[in-house]
Amino acid sequence: SMEPVFPKRTILVADADKKANDRSYVIAKLSNYPEPVFRQLLIDAGDYYIKPLSPDFEQYKMTRLNKSDRILGVIVQAKRNYE
């Protein structure tokens, strides 16, 4: 969902204590989805939205976070193996 910025098999390092800011990359737990998701966070007028970067995920577009959704961590590092 985050290609081409984060290709498949990228290793993500998240900090659960770091405050998420506008345009941070985050791991979020949505109340209506069973698994955590990796998305970019957008903040507008106090509302929090997440969105995938990949054009292949057009159907998901931007999702507004509700009170029962949680940000589990902010991505602080991404690593790639080339083999």
Side-chain angles (χ1 to χ4, degrees), residues 21-83:
N21 296 309
D22 186 42
R23 304 211 179 267
S24 291
Y25 297 107
V26 300
I27 304 295
K29 177 62 180 92
L30 306 178
S31 60
N32 63 346
Y33 195 75
E35 297 177 12
V37 296
F38 173 41
R39 300 285 190 271
Q40 185 174 36
L41 177 71
L42 302 171
I43 303 171
D44 183 41
D47 291 325
Y48 285 64
Y49 301 87
I50 56 170
K51 72 170 193 162
L53 299 180
S54 174
D56 294 339
F57 280 69
E58 280 292 314
Q59 71 270 24
Y60 296 110
K61 299 210 177 191
M62 202 169 345
T63 302
R64 183 176 180 211
L65 296 180
N66 62 47
K67 293 187 188 279
S68 57
D69 298 329
R70 297 177 315 175
I71 295 175
L72 302 177
V74 177
I75 303 303
V76 293
Q77 190 175 55
K79 297 180 180 183
R80 283 199 61 205
N81 291 326
Y82 292 97
E83 292 188 27

Short mmCIF file of all heavy atoms in Angstrom, two decimals, residues 21-83:
data_model
loop_
_atom_site.label_atom_id
_atom_site.label_comp_id
_atom_site.label_asym_id
_atom_site.label_seq_id
_atom_site.Cartn_x
_atom_site.Cartn_y
_atom_site.Cartn_z
N ASN A 21 3.16 13.51 13.62
CA ASN A 21 2.92 14.84 13.06
C ASN A 21 2.30 14.72 11.68
O ASN A 21 2.25 13.64 11.10
CB ASN A 21 4.24 15.61 12.97
CG ASN A 21 4.85 15.86 14.32
OD1 ASN A 21 4.19 16.36 15.22
ND2 ASN A 21 6.11 15.50 14.48
N ASP A 22 1.86 15.85 11.15
CA ASP A 22 1.32 15.88 9.80
C ASP A 22 2.36 15.31 8.83
O ASP A 22 3.53 15.68 8.88
CB ASP A 22 0.96 17.32 9.42
CG ASP A 22 0.26 17.41 8.08
OD1 ASP A 22 -0.61 16.56 7.80
OD2 ASP A 22 0.60 18.33 7.31
N ARG A 23 1.95 14.38 8.01
CA ARG A 23 2.75 13.71 6.98
C ARG A 23 3.70 12.65 7.52
O ARG A 23 4.53 12.13 6.79
CB ARG A 23 3.48 14.71 6.10
CG ARG A 23 2.51 15.71 5.47
CD ARG A 23 2.96 16.19 4.13
NE ARG A 23 2.00 17.11 3.57
CZ ARG A 23 1.01 16.76 2.76
NH1 ARG A 23 0.84 15.53 2.41
NH2 ARG A 23 0.19 17.66 2.27
N SER A 24 3.59 12.31 8.81
CA SER A 24 4.36 11.19 9.36
C SER A 24 3.86 9.89 8.73
O SER A 24 2.70 9.78 8.33
CB SER A 24 4.16 11.08 10.87
OG SER A 24 4.74 12.14 11.56
N TYR A 25 4.75 8.92 8.67
CA TYR A 25 4.35 7.57 8.29
C TYR A 25 4.08 6.81 9.58
O TYR A 25 4.89 6.87 10.51
CB TYR A 25 5.45 6.89 7.47
CG TYR A 25 5.71 7.60 6.17
CD1 TYR A 25 6.86 8.35 5.98
CD2 TYR A 25 4.79 7.55 5.13
CE1 TYR A 25 7.10 9.02 4.79
CE2 TYR A 25 5.01 8.21 3.94
CZ TYR A 25 6.16 8.95 3.77
OH TYR A 25 6.38 9.60 2.58
N VAL A 26 2.94 6.14 9.65
CA VAL A 26 2.51 5.53 10.91
C VAL A 26 2.01 4.11 10.71
O VAL A 26 1.61 3.72 9.62
CB VAL A 26 1.40 6.37 11.59
CG1 VAL A 26 1.89 7.78 11.90
CG2 VAL A 26 0.14 6.42 10.74
N ILE A 27 2.02 3.37 11.81
CA ILE A 27 1.32 2.09 11.91
C ILE A 27 0.07 2.40 12.72
O ILE A 27 0.16 2.95 13.82
CB ILE A 27 2.16 1.02 12.63
CG1 ILE A 27 3.53 0.84 11.95
CG2 ILE A 27 1.39 -0.28 12.74
CD1 ILE A 27 3.47 0.29 10.56
N ALA A 28 -1.09 2.10 12.17
CA ALA A 28 -2.36 2.42 12.83
C ALA A 28 -3.22 1.17 12.97
O ALA A 28 -3.18 0.28 12.12
CB ALA A 28 -3.11 3.49 12.04
N LYS A 29 -3.98 1.14 14.03
CA LYS A 29 -4.96 0.06 14.24
C LYS A 29 -6.34 0.67 14.10
O LYS A 29 -6.74 1.52 14.89
CB LYS A 29 -4.77 -0.56 15.64
CG LYS A 29 -5.79 -1.65 15.97
CD LYS A 29 -5.68 -2.82 14.99
CE LYS A 29 -6.69 -3.91 15.29
NZ LYS A 29 -7.93 -3.79 14.58
N LEU A 30 -7.02 0.26 13.05
CA LEU A 30 -8.37 0.75 12.79
C LEU A 30 -9.37 -0.17 13.45
O LEU A 30 -9.23 -1.40 13.40
CB LEU A 30 -8.62 0.80 11.28
CG LEU A 30 -7.60 1.59 10.46
CD1 LEU A 30 -7.94 1.52 8.98
CD2 LEU A 30 -7.52 3.02 10.94
N SER A 31 -10.38 0.40 14.05
CA SER A 31 -11.37 -0.40 14.79
C SER A 31 -12.15 -1.35 13.88
O SER A 31 -12.59 -2.40 14.33
CB SER A 31 -12.33 0.51 15.54
OG SER A 31 -13.02 1.35 14.64
N ASN A 32 -12.28 -1.02 12.61
CA ASN A 32 -13.06 -1.85 11.70
C ASN A 32 -12.21 -2.76 10.81
O ASN A 32 -12.69 -3.32 9.85
CB ASN A 32 -13.96 -0.97 10.83
CG ASN A 32 -13.16 -0.04 9.93
OD1 ASN A 32 -11.97 0.14 10.13
ND2 ASN A 32 -13.82 0.55 8.98
N TYR A 33 -10.92 -2.90 11.14
CA TYR A 33 -10.02 -3.72 10.34
C TYR A 33 -9.20 -4.59 11.29
O TYR A 33 -8.68 -4.09 12.29
CB TYR A 33 -9.11 -2.83 9.48
CG TYR A 33 -8.40 -3.57 8.39
CD1 TYR A 33 -9.07 -3.98 7.25
CD2 TYR A 33 -7.05 -3.86 8.50
CE1 TYR A 33 -8.42 -4.67 6.24
CE2 TYR A 33 -6.39 -4.55 7.50
CZ TYR A 33 -7.08 -4.95 6.38
OH TYR A 33 -6.43 -5.63 5.38
N PRO A 34 -9.05 -5.88 11.02
CA PRO A 34 -8.44 -6.79 11.99
C PRO A 34 -6.94 -6.61 12.21
O PRO A 34 -6.44 -6.92 13.27
CB PRO A 34 -8.74 -8.18 11.42
CG PRO A 34 -8.94 -7.96 9.97
CD PRO A 34 -9.53 -6.59 9.83
N GLU A 35 -6.20 -6.12 11.21
CA GLU A 35 -4.75 -6.01 11.32
C GLU A 35 -4.31 -4.55 11.26
O GLU A 35 -4.97 -3.72 10.64
CB GLU A 35 -4.09 -6.77 10.17
CG GLU A 35 -4.38 -8.25 10.18
CD GLU A 35 -3.76 -8.96 8.99
OE1 GLU A 35 -2.93 -8.37 8.29
OE2 GLU A 35 -4.13 -10.12 8.78
N PRO A 36 -3.17 -4.23 11.89
CA PRO A 36 -2.63 -2.87 11.77
C PRO A 36 -2.31 -2.55 10.31
O PRO A 36 -2.02 -3.45 9.52
CB PRO A 36 -1.36 -2.91 12.62
CG PRO A 36 -1.55 -4.05 13.55
CD PRO A 36 -2.37 -5.06 12.79
N VAL A 37 -2.35 -1.28 9.97
CA VAL A 37 -2.05 -0.84 8.61
C VAL A 37 -0.91 0.17 8.64
O VAL A 37 -0.71 0.87 9.62
CB VAL A 37 -3.29 -0.22 7.91
CG1 VAL A 37 -4.38 -1.24 7.73
CG2 VAL A 37 -3.80 1.00 8.65
N PHE A 38 -0.17 0.24 7.55
CA PHE A 38 0.92 1.18 7.38
C PHE A 38 0.45 2.25 6.41
O PHE A 38 0.09 1.96 5.27
CB PHE A 38 2.14 0.43 6.85
CG PHE A 38 3.31 1.30 6.45
CD1 PHE A 38 3.69 2.40 7.20
CD2 PHE A 38 4.04 0.98 5.32
CE1 PHE A 38 4.76 3.17 6.83
CE2 PHE A 38 5.13 1.74 4.94
CZ PHE A 38 5.49 2.84 5.70
N ARG A 39 0.41 3.50 6.86
CA ARG A 39 -0.12 4.59 6.04
C ARG A 39 0.61 5.91 6.36
O ARG A 39 1.33 6.02 7.35
CB ARG A 39 -1.61 4.82 6.31
CG ARG A 39 -2.51 3.63 6.02
CD ARG A 39 -2.71 3.45 4.52
NE ARG A 39 -3.73 2.48 4.22
CZ ARG A 39 -3.52 1.18 4.06
NH1 ARG A 39 -2.32 0.69 4.21
NH2 ARG A 39 -4.51 0.36 3.76
N GLN A 40 0.33 6.92 5.55
CA GLN A 40 0.80 8.27 5.84
C GLN A 40 -0.31 9.02 6.57
O GLN A 40 -1.48 8.93 6.19
CB GLN A 40 1.18 9.02 4.57
CG GLN A 40 1.78 10.39 4.88
CD GLN A 40 2.29 11.08 3.64
OE1 GLN A 40 1.70 10.97 2.56
NE2 GLN A 40 3.37 11.83 3.79
N LEU A 41 0.07 9.75 7.61
CA LEU A 41 -0.89 10.52 8.40
C LEU A 41 -0.97 11.94 7.88
O LEU A 41 0.05 12.58 7.61
CB LEU A 41 -0.43 10.54 9.87
CG LEU A 41 -1.29 11.35 10.82
CD1 LEU A 41 -2.63 10.67 11.06
CD2 LEU A 41 -0.55 11.56 12.14
N LEU A 42 -2.18 12.43 7.74
CA LEU A 42 -2.42 13.83 7.38
C LEU A 42 -3.30 14.44 8.46
O LEU A 42 -4.27 13.82 8.89
CB LEU A 42 -3.11 13.93 6.02
CG LEU A 42 -2.36 13.29 4.86
CD1 LEU A 42 -3.22 13.26 3.61
CD2 LEU A 42 -1.06 14.03 4.59
N ILE A 43 -2.95 15.64 8.90
CA ILE A 43 -3.73 16.32 9.93
C ILE A 43 -4.26 17.61 9.34
O ILE A 43 -3.50 18.42 8.78
CB ILE A 43 -2.86 16.62 11.17
CG1 ILE A 43 -2.27 15.32 11.72
CG2 ILE A 43 -3.69 17.34 12.24
CD1 ILE A 43 -1.23 15.52 12.82
N ASP A 44 -5.57 17.81 9.44
CA ASP A 44 -6.20 19.00 8.90
C ASP A 44 -7.26 19.50 9.88
O ASP A 44 -8.22 18.77 10.18
CB ASP A 44 -6.85 18.69 7.55
CG ASP A 44 -7.46 19.92 6.90
OD1 ASP A 44 -6.84 21.00 6.96
OD2 ASP A 44 -8.57 19.79 6.35
N ALA A 45 -7.06 20.69 10.40
CA ALA A 45 -8.01 21.33 11.31
C ALA A 45 -8.35 20.41 12.49
O ALA A 45 -9.51 20.32 12.90
CB ALA A 45 -9.27 21.75 10.57
N GLY A 46 -7.36 19.71 13.01
CA GLY A 46 -7.57 18.85 14.16
C GLY A 46 -8.10 17.46 13.84
O GLY A 46 -8.22 16.62 14.73
N ASP A 47 -8.43 17.21 12.59
CA ASP A 47 -8.88 15.88 12.17
C ASP A 47 -7.68 15.09 11.64
O ASP A 47 -6.81 15.65 10.97
CB ASP A 47 -9.96 15.97 11.08
CG ASP A 47 -11.26 16.53 11.61
OD1 ASP A 47 -11.60 16.24 12.77
OD2 ASP A 47 -11.93 17.26 10.87
N TYR A 48 -7.66 13.80 11.93
CA TYR A 48 -6.57 12.93 11.51
C TYR A 48 -7.07 12.01 10.40
O TYR A 48 -8.12 11.40 10.52
CB TYR A 48 -6.08 12.09 12.69
CG TYR A 48 -5.26 12.85 13.68
CD1 TYR A 48 -5.80 13.90 14.42
CD2 TYR A 48 -3.94 12.53 13.89
CE1 TYR A 48 -5.04 14.60 15.32
CE2 TYR A 48 -3.17 13.23 14.82
CZ TYR A 48 -3.73 14.27 15.52
OH TYR A 48 -2.97 14.96 16.42
N TYR A 49 -6.28 11.93 9.33
CA TYR A 49 -6.60 11.08 8.18
C TYR A 49 -5.38 10.22 7.88
O TYR A 49 -4.25 10.65 8.11
CB TYR A 49 -6.91 11.92 6.95
CG TYR A 49 -8.06 12.86 7.11
CD1 TYR A 49 -7.88 14.14 7.64
CD2 TYR A 49 -9.35 12.48 6.73
CE1 TYR A 49 -8.95 15.00 7.79
CE2 TYR A 49 -10.41 13.35 6.88
CZ TYR A 49 -10.21 14.61 7.41
OH TYR A 49 -11.27 15.47 7.57
N ILE A 50 -5.61 9.03 7.35
CA ILE A 50 -4.50 8.21 6.86
C ILE A 50 -4.77 7.88 5.40
O ILE A 50 -5.91 7.78 4.97
CB ILE A 50 -4.30 6.94 7.70
CG1 ILE A 50 -5.58 6.09 7.76
CG2 ILE A 50 -3.77 7.27 9.08
CD1 ILE A 50 -5.37 4.72 8.38
N LYS A 51 -3.66 7.71 4.65
CA LYS A 51 -3.81 7.37 3.24
C LYS A 51 -2.67 6.50 2.77
O LYS A 51 -1.54 6.64 3.23
CB LYS A 51 -3.91 8.62 2.38
CG LYS A 51 -2.61 9.37 2.24
CD LYS A 51 -2.72 10.45 1.20
CE LYS A 51 -1.32 10.96 0.86
NZ LYS A 51 -1.28 11.67 -0.38
N PRO A 52 -2.96 5.56 1.85
CA PRO A 52 -1.89 4.79 1.23
C PRO A 52 -1.23 5.63 0.14
O PRO A 52 -1.83 6.58 -0.38
CB PRO A 52 -2.64 3.59 0.62
CG PRO A 52 -4.00 4.10 0.36
CD PRO A 52 -4.28 5.13 1.42
N LEU A 53 0.00 5.31 -0.21
CA LEU A 53 0.69 6.06 -1.26
C LEU A 53 0.57 5.41 -2.63
O LEU A 53 0.64 6.07 -3.64
CB LEU A 53 2.18 6.19 -0.91
CG LEU A 53 2.50 6.94 0.38
CD1 LEU A 53 4.00 6.98 0.59
CD2 LEU A 53 1.92 8.33 0.36
N SER A 54 0.36 4.10 -2.65
CA SER A 54 0.34 3.36 -3.91
C SER A 54 -0.91 3.67 -4.74
O SER A 54 -2.02 3.64 -4.22
CB SER A 54 0.39 1.86 -3.62
OG SER A 54 0.24 1.14 -4.83
N PRO A 55 -0.71 3.94 -6.02
CA PRO A 55 -1.87 4.13 -6.89
C PRO A 55 -2.72 2.87 -7.03
O PRO A 55 -3.88 2.93 -7.41
CB PRO A 55 -1.28 4.56 -8.23
CG PRO A 55 0.17 4.22 -8.16
CD PRO A 55 0.55 4.11 -6.72
N ASP A 56 -2.15 1.70 -6.69
CA ASP A 56 -2.90 0.45 -6.74
C ASP A 56 -3.98 0.39 -5.65
O ASP A 56 -4.85 -0.47 -5.69
CB ASP A 56 -1.97 -0.76 -6.56
CG ASP A 56 -1.00 -0.89 -7.72
OD1 ASP A 56 -1.29 -0.35 -8.81
OD2 ASP A 56 0.05 -1.53 -7.54
N PHE A 57 -3.91 1.28 -4.68
CA PHE A 57 -4.87 1.29 -3.57
C PHE A 57 -5.83 2.45 -3.67
O PHE A 57 -6.30 2.98 -2.67
CB PHE A 57 -4.12 1.32 -2.23
CG PHE A 57 -3.60 -0.02 -1.81
CD1 PHE A 57 -2.56 -0.62 -2.49
CD2 PHE A 57 -4.17 -0.68 -0.74
CE1 PHE A 57 -2.08 -1.86 -2.12
CE2 PHE A 57 -3.69 -1.92 -0.35
CZ PHE A 57 -2.65 -2.51 -1.05
N GLU A 58 -6.15 2.86 -4.87
CA GLU A 58 -7.07 3.98 -5.10
C GLU A 58 -8.41 3.79 -4.38
O GLU A 58 -9.03 4.74 -3.95
CB GLU A 58 -7.32 4.17 -6.60
CG GLU A 58 -6.22 4.91 -7.31
CD GLU A 58 -6.12 6.36 -6.88
OE1 GLU A 58 -7.14 7.05 -6.79
OE2 GLU A 58 -4.99 6.80 -6.62
N GLN A 59 -8.86 2.53 -4.26
CA GLN A 59 -10.16 2.28 -3.66
C GLN A 59 -10.19 2.67 -2.18
O GLN A 59 -11.24 2.88 -1.61
CB GLN A 59 -10.60 0.82 -3.84
CG GLN A 59 -9.83 -0.18 -3.02
CD GLN A 59 -8.61 -0.74 -3.71
OE1 GLN A 59 -8.03 -0.12 -4.59
NE2 GLN A 59 -8.18 -1.91 -3.30
N TYR A 60 -9.01 2.74 -1.53
CA TYR A 60 -8.97 3.07 -0.11
C TYR A 60 -8.84 4.57 0.14
O TYR A 60 -9.22 5.05 1.19
CB TYR A 60 -7.84 2.31 0.60
CG TYR A 60 -8.06 0.83 0.57
CD1 TYR A 60 -7.25 0.01 -0.21
CD2 TYR A 60 -9.09 0.25 1.28
CE1 TYR A 60 -7.45 -1.36 -0.25
CE2 TYR A 60 -9.30 -1.13 1.23
CZ TYR A 60 -8.47 -1.91 0.47
OH TYR A 60 -8.67 -3.25 0.42
N LYS A 61 -8.25 5.27 -0.79
CA LYS A 61 -8.04 6.71 -0.70
C LYS A 61 -7.70 7.15 0.72
O LYS A 61 -6.93 6.52 1.41
CB LYS A 61 -9.24 7.45 -1.25
CG LYS A 61 -9.48 7.12 -2.71
CD LYS A 61 -10.10 8.21 -3.45
CE LYS A 61 -10.21 7.76 -4.89
NZ LYS A 61 -10.56 8.76 -5.77
N MET A 62 -8.33 8.21 1.18
CA MET A 62 -8.04 8.75 2.49
C MET A 62 -9.13 8.32 3.47
O MET A 62 -10.31 8.33 3.14
CB MET A 62 -7.98 10.28 2.43
CG MET A 62 -7.22 10.85 3.56
SD MET A 62 -6.81 12.60 3.46
CE MET A 62 -7.07 13.10 1.81
N THR A 63 -8.72 7.93 4.67
CA THR A 63 -9.65 7.49 5.70
C THR A 63 -9.52 8.39 6.92
O THR A 63 -8.40 8.61 7.40
CB THR A 63 -9.33 6.03 6.13
OG1 THR A 63 -9.39 5.20 4.98
CG2 THR A 63 -10.29 5.55 7.19
N ARG A 64 -10.63 8.89 7.39
CA ARG A 64 -10.60 9.71 8.61
C ARG A 64 -10.56 8.79 9.83
O ARG A 64 -11.34 7.84 9.92
CB ARG A 64 -11.84 10.60 8.68
CG ARG A 64 -11.81 11.52 9.88
CD ARG A 64 -13.00 12.44 9.85
NE ARG A 64 -12.94 13.31 11.00
CZ ARG A 64 -13.99 13.78 11.61
NH1 ARG A 64 -15.20 13.49 11.18
NH2 ARG A 64 -13.85 14.56 12.66
N LEU A 65 -9.64 9.06 10.75
CA LEU A 65 -9.55 8.25 11.96
C LEU A 65 -10.66 8.66 12.93
O LEU A 65 -10.96 9.85 13.07
CB LEU A 65 -8.19 8.44 12.64
CG LEU A 65 -6.98 7.97 11.84
CD1 LEU A 65 -5.70 8.21 12.63
CD2 LEU A 65 -7.10 6.52 11.45
N ASN A 66 -11.26 7.68 13.58
CA ASN A 66 -12.26 7.99 14.60
C ASN A 66 -11.67 7.75 15.98
O ASN A 66 -10.53 7.33 16.11
CB ASN A 66 -13.56 7.20 14.36
CG ASN A 66 -13.34 5.70 14.46
OD1 ASN A 66 -12.71 5.22 15.39
ND2 ASN A 66 -13.85 4.96 13.48
N LYS A 67 -12.43 8.00 17.01
CA LYS A 67 -11.92 7.93 18.38
C LYS A 67 -11.47 6.54 18.79
O LYS A 67 -10.62 6.39 19.66
CB LYS A 67 -12.97 8.46 19.36
CG LYS A 67 -13.21 9.94 19.20
CD LYS A 67 -14.11 10.47 20.29
CE LYS A 67 -14.50 11.89 20.03
NZ LYS A 67 -13.52 12.85 20.42
N SER A 68 -12.00 5.50 18.18
CA SER A 68 -11.60 4.14 18.55
C SER A 68 -10.40 3.64 17.74
O SER A 68 -9.88 2.56 18.01
CB SER A 68 -12.78 3.18 18.42
OG SER A 68 -13.29 3.21 17.12
N ASP A 69 -9.95 4.38 16.74
CA ASP A 69 -8.74 4.04 16.00
C ASP A 69 -7.52 4.54 16.78
O ASP A 69 -7.61 5.52 17.53
CB ASP A 69 -8.75 4.69 14.61
CG ASP A 69 -9.90 4.22 13.75
OD1 ASP A 69 -10.33 3.06 13.90
OD2 ASP A 69 -10.36 5.02 12.92
N ARG A 70 -6.39 3.84 16.62
CA ARG A 70 -5.19 4.23 17.37
C ARG A 70 -3.96 4.24 16.47
O ARG A 70 -3.84 3.41 15.58
CB ARG A 70 -4.91 3.24 18.50
CG ARG A 70 -5.96 3.17 19.54
CD ARG A 70 -5.61 2.10 20.55
NE ARG A 70 -5.17 0.91 19.82
CZ ARG A 70 -4.69 -0.18 20.35
NH1 ARG A 70 -4.55 -0.28 21.62
NH2 ARG A 70 -4.32 -1.21 19.61
N ILE A 71 -3.07 5.16 16.74
CA ILE A 71 -1.76 5.16 16.09
C ILE A 71 -0.84 4.38 17.01
O ILE A 71 -0.64 4.75 18.17
CB ILE A 71 -1.26 6.59 15.84
CG1 ILE A 71 -2.18 7.27 14.83
CG2 ILE A 71 0.19 6.57 15.37
CD1 ILE A 71 -1.89 8.71 14.58
N LEU A 72 -0.31 3.26 16.51
CA LEU A 72 0.53 2.38 17.32
C LEU A 72 1.99 2.83 17.34
O LEU A 72 2.71 2.55 18.30
CB LEU A 72 0.45 0.95 16.79
CG LEU A 72 -0.94 0.32 16.76
CD1 LEU A 72 -0.87 -1.07 16.15
CD2 LEU A 72 -1.54 0.27 18.16
N GLY A 73 2.43 3.47 16.28
CA GLY A 73 3.82 3.91 16.23
C GLY A 73 4.09 4.77 15.01
O GLY A 73 3.35 4.73 14.03
N VAL A 74 5.16 5.54 15.10
CA VAL A 74 5.61 6.40 14.01
C VAL A 74 6.86 5.77 13.41
O VAL A 74 7.78 5.37 14.15
CB VAL A 74 5.92 7.82 14.53
CG1 VAL A 74 6.46 8.70 13.42
CG2 VAL A 74 4.67 8.45 15.14
N ILE A 75 6.92 5.68 12.10
CA ILE A 75 8.08 5.11 11.43
C ILE A 75 9.25 6.07 11.58
O ILE A 75 9.15 7.25 11.22
CB ILE A 75 7.79 4.84 9.94
CG1 ILE A 75 6.59 3.92 9.78
CG2 ILE A 75 9.02 4.29 9.22
CD1 ILE A 75 6.70 2.59 10.48
N VAL A 76 10.35 5.57 12.12
CA VAL A 76 11.54 6.39 12.32
C VAL A 76 12.68 5.95 11.42
O VAL A 76 13.66 6.67 11.25
CB VAL A 76 11.98 6.41 13.80
CG1 VAL A 76 10.95 7.11 14.65
CG2 VAL A 76 12.27 5.01 14.32
N GLN A 77 12.55 4.74 10.84
CA GLN A 77 13.59 4.24 9.97
C GLN A 77 13.01 3.17 9.04
O GLN A 77 12.12 2.43 9.42
CB GLN A 77 14.71 3.64 10.81
CG GLN A 77 15.97 3.30 10.06
CD GLN A 77 17.06 2.84 11.00
OE1 GLN A 77 16.86 1.90 11.77
NE2 GLN A 77 18.20 3.49 10.93
N ALA A 78 13.56 3.14 7.83
CA ALA A 78 13.17 2.09 6.86
C ALA A 78 14.45 1.52 6.27
O ALA A 78 15.37 2.28 5.92
CB ALA A 78 12.29 2.67 5.77
N LYS A 79 14.53 0.20 6.18
CA LYS A 79 15.71 -0.47 5.66
C LYS A 79 15.31 -1.41 4.53
O LYS A 79 14.24 -2.01 4.59
CB LYS A 79 16.38 -1.29 6.76
CG LYS A 79 16.89 -0.48 7.91
CD LYS A 79 17.52 -1.39 8.93
CE LYS A 79 18.04 -0.60 10.12
NZ LYS A 79 18.72 -1.46 11.08
N ARG A 80 16.21 -1.56 3.56
CA ARG A 80 15.96 -2.48 2.44
C ARG A 80 17.12 -3.41 2.29
O ARG A 80 18.26 -3.01 2.38
CB ARG A 80 15.79 -1.72 1.15
CG ARG A 80 14.46 -1.06 1.03
CD ARG A 80 14.10 -0.71 -0.37
NE ARG A 80 14.05 -1.88 -1.22
CZ ARG A 80 14.23 -1.85 -2.52
NH1 ARG A 80 14.46 -0.72 -3.13
NH2 ARG A 80 14.16 -2.94 -3.23
N ASN A 81 16.81 -4.67 2.00
CA ASN A 81 17.81 -5.63 1.61
C ASN A 81 17.71 -5.80 0.10
O ASN A 81 16.61 -5.88 -0.44
CB ASN A 81 17.56 -6.99 2.30
CG ASN A 81 17.83 -6.90 3.78
OD1 ASN A 81 18.70 -6.19 4.24
ND2 ASN A 81 17.04 -7.63 4.55
N TYR A 82 18.82 -5.87 -0.58
CA TYR A 82 18.80 -5.94 -2.03
C TYR A 82 19.04 -7.34 -2.55
O TYR A 82 19.18 -7.54 -3.74
CB TYR A 82 19.82 -4.96 -2.62
CG TYR A 82 19.41 -3.53 -2.37
CD1 TYR A 82 19.93 -2.82 -1.30
CD2 TYR A 82 18.46 -2.92 -3.17
CE1 TYR A 82 19.53 -1.52 -1.06
CE2 TYR A 82 18.06 -1.63 -2.94
CZ TYR A 82 18.60 -0.93 -1.88
OH TYR A 82 18.20 0.35 -1.63
N GLU A 83 19.05 -8.31 -1.70
CA GLU A 83 19.20 -9.71 -2.13
C GLU A 83 18.08 -10.54 -1.61
O GLU A 83 17.48 -10.29 -0.64
CB GLU A 83 20.52 -10.26 -1.65
CG GLU A 83 21.68 -9.60 -2.37
CD GLU A 83 23.00 -10.27 -2.04
OE1 GLU A 83 23.01 -11.47 -1.72
OE2 GLU A 83 24.00 -9.59 -2.12
#
